[in-house]
Amino acid sequence: MINADFHTHSTYCDGKNTLEEMLDAAIDKKMAAIGFSGHSHTSFDESYCMSKEDTEKYIRDILLMKKRNKEDIEIYLGIEKDRFTDMTEFDRFDYVIGSVHYVLKDGYYIPVDESADAFKENIEKYYGGDYYAFCEDYYELLSSIADDSSVSIIGHFDLVTKFNENDCIFDTSDKRYISAVNEAIYRLAASGKILEINTGAISRGYRKEPYPSEDILVKWRKLGGKIIFSGDAHSTEGLCYAFENARKTAEKCGFKKACILKNNEFIEISL
């Protein structure tokens, strides 16, 4: 059983609990490690991310927690780097998660995961209702993270399907969608980055299965890609959420190992 979570959020960004509350919950759950990964600053939308000032406080607070912690748990200073962040320095962090939360179209940053209604309205307005054109732009942006040497982990690969349970909005078996997915998979796998199996949408009631889909995971495994389990926790309840479900999914897709951070290094352990 994997009992470490490296994709977590606090009140420094859009999480519900403080850093201290998240750490206390991790200790109560007897987790081996917790990594904090606040959202990096994006100037065009500050509603969900850390401000520049709070980023400095966030770093100081976590470094202090590391010094003060006397429990048998490892604490890591991470950050979730949005593709359009205006931050430039990431060498102060133990690890970086690379994610796409927006697609830039006609000068407007379209949020990928704000709400189902906003998702449909924006694609109708900016893409003429062509969901596959939107997905092509999304996956092209995601694949470009392959060239970002600061990023170790790819966040919620198929986030575009957050509101698409049972293909209720668009067909994920469409050739255009599959082609866009495949191009991103090949490029990211070749970069050697780690793909997270993310249970965040399950904990918040949007999906019944983790990101990414099993089809994507099978392709990733065939390309020799590595995985890591992620709760994408925005509250204490989300820590390591449904990791047993995620483990079974990983095994079903042919994985025998998953990554964790141990002593400041990514290592693989058996499932």
Side-chain angles (χ1 to χ4, degrees):
M1 183 66 184
I2 303 292
N3 65 338
D5 199 340
F6 305 100
H7 191 159
T8 72
H9 298 284
S10 71
T11 50
Y12 267 113
C13 52
D14 57 351
K16 295 181 179 179
N17 294 101
T18 65
L19 293 175
E20 292 77 11
E21 288 170 340
M22 295 293 280
L23 176 60
D24 288 345
I27 292 171
D28 288 344
K29 293 174 183 282
K30 301 187 185 305
M31 288 169 54
I34 181 171
F36 295 103
S37 55
H39 288 291
S40 64
H41 185 258
T42 49
S43 58
F44 56 86
D45 182 2
E46 296 183 322
S47 64
Y48 81 105
C49 64
M50 296 187 291
S51 67
K52 292 181 179 180
E53 295 77 13
D54 278 351
T55 301
E56 292 301 317
K57 295 178 183 177
Y58 166 83
I59 293 171
R60 289 197 299 269
D61 281 357
I62 295 174
L63 292 178
L64 187 59
M65 288 172 68
K66 284 188 175 190
K67 290 182 180 179
R68 289 179 173 175
N69 177 55
K70 297 180 181 179
E71 300 288 342
D72 188 23
I73 184 171
E74 292 190 19
I75 301 171
Y76 290 96
L77 169 61
I79 193 165
E80 184 172 8
K81 180 181 182 180
D82 184 77
R83 175 62 176 74
F84 292 111
T85 187
D86 54 1
M87 286 182 60
T88 57
E89 296 182 6
F90 291 90
D91 56 355
R92 300 164 70 185
F93 299 95
D94 296 324
Y95 65 96
V96 177
I97 300 171
S99 298
V100 174
H101 297 100
Y102 301 87
V103 170
L104 180 60
K105 180 71 171 178
D106 298 335
Y108 178 72
Y109 290 95
I110 301 172
V112 177
D113 62 335
E114 180 180 336
S115 70
D117 287 342
F119 183 77
K120 290 183 280 190
E121 289 170 6
N122 283 322
I123 293 178
E124 184 63 38
K125 180 177 180 180
Y126 292 97
Y127 285 86
D130 188 343
Y131 289 97
Y132 304 109
F134 176 82
C135 290
E136 286 166 349
D137 285 351
Y138 168 83
Y139 282 115
E140 184 177 357
L141 282 170
L142 189 69
S143 68
S144 70
I145 296 175
D147 300 323
D148 188 341
S149 61
S150 70
V151 171
S152 298
I153 301 170
I154 302 299
H156 36 60
F157 183 93
D158 53 353
L159 184 62
V160 289
T161 64
K162 178 175 179 177
F163 309 113
N164 195 44
E165 186 76 8
N166 298 318
D167 284 5
C168 61
I169 299 176
F170 62 90
D171 184 3
T172 54
S173 66
D174 184 274
K175 291 182 179 179
R176 288 175 64 194
Y177 180 81
I178 293 174
S179 177
V181 166
N182 287 345
E183 288 183 17
I185 289 175
Y186 297 145
R187 188 172 175 188
L188 289 167
S191 73
K193 300 189 188 304
I194 303 167
L195 183 71
E196 66 171 12
I197 298 184
N198 181 314
T199 62
I202 303 176
S203 65
R204 293 190 286 281
Y206 294 108
R207 291 170 61 117
K208 294 180 180 177
E209 299 297 329
Y211 302 111
S213 69
E214 291 182 6
D215 288 345
I216 291 171
L217 285 172
V218 169
K219 292 174 183 176
W220 187 261
R221 190 260 305 165
K222 288 181 177 179
L223 289 169
K226 296 179 180 181
I227 57 169
I228 191 168
F229 293 135
S230 157
D232 199 350
H234 285 67
S235 67
T236 56
E237 292 80 9
L239 291 168
C240 294
Y241 190 90
F243 272 20
E244 179 60 17
N245 180 337
R247 184 189 66 79
K248 290 178 180 178
T249 296
E251 287 188 327
K252 181 179 178 182
C253 294
F255 290 97
K256 298 184 183 301
K257 295 182 178 181
C259 293
I260 62 167
L261 266 171
K262 181 72 174 176
N263 297 326
N264 295 302
E265 292 185 6
F266 285 106
I267 64 168
E268 285 189 291
I269 62 172
S270 297
L271 293 176

